[in-house]
Amino acid sequence: AQTVTQSQPEMSVQEAETVTLSCTYDTSESNYYLFWYKQPPSRQMILVIRQEAYKQQNATENRFSVNFQKAAKSFSLKISDSQLGDTAMYFCAFSRLEYGNKLVFGAGTILRVKS
Amino acid sequence: GAGVSQSPSNKVTEKGKDVELRCDPISGHTALYWYRQSLGQGLEFLIYFQGNSAPDKSGLPSDRFSAERTGGSVSTLTIQRTQQEDSAVYLCASSAQGFPGTQYFGPGTRLLVL
């Protein structure tokens, strides 16, 4: 079974600075998808960024980028120029290439952006 | 357009009662998922529907849990004889296709069993 580990329960960062959230996973699959979701206090889960394992290039979305190290099974999220609105719980998630592609989530990291 | 909606937003019930949670997916999305978010277990997959295919029920924690999806759209998650350990936030998500579509989540239903 696949597992996703987020080793940082809580992180804080000053506004405008950069922060990196860690995620490791375990799988025997060679092709799969990895995601970072954000959950603000409103509870709405929002997709931040997605990475296909077969792509060597790291995904980027504006201020958000990932460092995908397939051999190390590591998938970290870097947030540049942090904003107060980035305050949320961040979940790393894994999906096999299978019917349904149900998500397996990590425990989450609470990120607080301070002014 | 409208996102995934869920109702009720919050539900308080007494132990032993049955509850129904509703999910309206994004129009046109053929895949629908239910997840549970609890303090002790984190985020867990419960069930998956894709079109008219048989659902993947592999994540349902007990036979007290069931779900249906009518007309390929609205879904209802039913919990019978609720227990205190059922207290959690129940999240619904939909995607335009089962794979590898991005899942879009609703705001969830917070269930409290007293």
Side-chain angles (χ1 to χ4, degrees):
Chain A
Q2 287 73 32
T3 58
V4 177
T5 302
Q6 294 178 249
S7 58
Q8 305 152 315
E10 295 187 31
M11 299 263 306
S12 63
V13 62
Q14 286 296 127
E15 201 174 4
E17 294 190 346
T18 296
V19 64
T20 298
L21 308 184
S22 300
C23 173
T24 59
Y25 59 94
D26 186 29
T27 183
S28 58
E29 306 285 330
S30 59
N31 289 318
Y32 46 86
Y33 286 85
L34 295 164
F35 307 83
W36 279 98
Y37 277 89
K38 165 186 175 180
Q39 187 179 41
S42 66
R43 291 199 315 241
Q44 186 88 41
M45 292 279 280
I46 302 165
L47 178 68
V48 174
I49 200 164
R50 169 177 133 167
Q51 175 80 43
E52 290 86 351
Y54 61 88
K55 291 186 178 178
Q56 293 185 343
Q57 186 173 6
N58 289 324
T60 63
E61 285 290 343
N62 300 315
R63 298 183 295 108
F64 299 88
S65 61
V66 298
N67 183 5
F68 173 48
Q69 300 290 327
K70 190 173 183 180
K73 295 181 182 174
S74 171
F75 183 62
S76 60
L77 175 69
K78 185 172 82 171
I79 306 174
S80 303
D81 186 26
S82 297
Q83 301 176 359
L84 295 177
D86 295 333
T87 293
M89 175 80 93
Y90 286 80
F91 291 97
C92 179
F94 171 99
S95 171
R96 295 174 60 188
L97 270 62
E98 65 175 358
Y99 175 76
N101 73 305
K102 56 198 176 202
L103 296 170
V104 176
F105 289 91
T109 296
I110 298 172
L111 176 66
R112 295 187 175 88
V113 180
K114 300 178 179 179
S115 59
Chain B
V4 177
S5 61
Q6 293 186 245
S7 60
S9 179
N10 296 282
K11 175 73 176 178
V12 180
T13 190
E14 294 179 349
K15 178 180 172 181
K17 300 282 190 182
D18 297 352
V19 295
E20 288 189 349
L21 312 180
R22 177 187 168 104
C23 172
D24 278 279
I26 294 172
S27 178
H29 279 192
T30 59
L32 187 147
Y33 306 77
W34 284 98
Y35 294 88
R36 180 170 71 174
Q37 184 174 21
S38 59
L39 284 176
Q41 302 298 322
L43 268 159
E44 308 169 277
F45 164 80
L46 295 178
I47 189 169
Y48 160 69
F49 295 91
Q50 171 59 39
N52 295 321
S53 301
D56 176 357
K57 305 179 182 179
S58 60
L60 294 179
S62 77
D63 58 8
R64 295 187 296 105
F65 288 72
S66 62
E68 63 176 16
R69 189 178 184 191
T70 54
S73 181
V74 171
S75 176
T76 302
L77 177 69
T78 300
I79 308 174
Q80 296 178 311
R81 305 180 303 279
T82 52
Q83 304 295 312
Q84 289 183 331
E85 60 263 30
D86 299 334
S87 296
V89 174
Y90 290 82
L91 294 169
C92 176
S94 70
S95 69
Q97 58 192 59
F99 168 81
T102 294
Q103 295 180 32
Y104 297 89
F105 284 79
T109 293
R110 183 180 297 278
L111 174 66
L112 178 60
V113 182
L114 300 177

